[in-house]
Amino acid sequence: RSGAADGLSVAEIAPEIGLSESRLMHLFKQSVGVPIRKFRSWERMRLVATHVAAGESLTMAGLAAGFADSSHLSHGFRAMFGLPARRVFNAQSRVRARDS
């Protein structure tokens, strides 16, 4: 696994690159324009879409993107988009994921 699914927290990453957690978060937002946690959430959702587009079930896509279980994915998806993931990734949807 890589990317957002690597499981490393900001607290684990910061000392590895010689920064405090708060400094890392500040520099990331200054450089990228969004908070690191929001960026990581978006990356995880992109990974879900990529896996669903490749034919995986929503549950397996969520696990591959680093979500603990279907409930964790469902809660995160609803918090980010305001609707259930199953509504977007249903049998009738034609999901296509693009790399950046």
Side-chain angles (χ1 to χ4, degrees):
R1 295 187 330 183
S2 63
D6 63 12
L8 295 176
S9 69
V10 173
E12 293 169 315
I13 295 168
E16 290 295 318
I17 59 174
L19 296 172
S20 69
E21 188 176 345
S22 62
R23 186 68 180 145
L24 171 59
M25 291 189 303
H26 173 78
L27 289 173
F28 189 91
K29 185 174 182 182
Q30 183 180 20
S31 298
V32 179
V34 296
I36 193 168
R37 288 185 175 109
K38 179 64 79 177
F39 180 86
R40 290 177 67 146
S41 293
W42 276 101
E43 175 63 8
R44 290 171 80 187
M45 293 303 174
R46 188 193 65 76
L47 288 171
V48 168
T50 298
H51 285 272
V52 169
E56 291 185 29
S57 70
L58 188 53
T59 298
M60 294 309 294
L63 292 172
F67 289 94
D69 54 33
S70 295
S71 178
H72 186 212
L73 169 60
S74 180
H75 177 76
F77 195 92
R78 185 179 292 271
M80 182 171 282
F81 299 109
L83 63 151
R86 293 235 179 255
R87 188 181 223 179
V88 174
F89 300 114
N90 61 39
Q92 290 79 36
S93 67
R94 292 187 292 180
V95 175
R96 291 182 296 166
R98 295 176 59 181
D99 287 330
S100 343

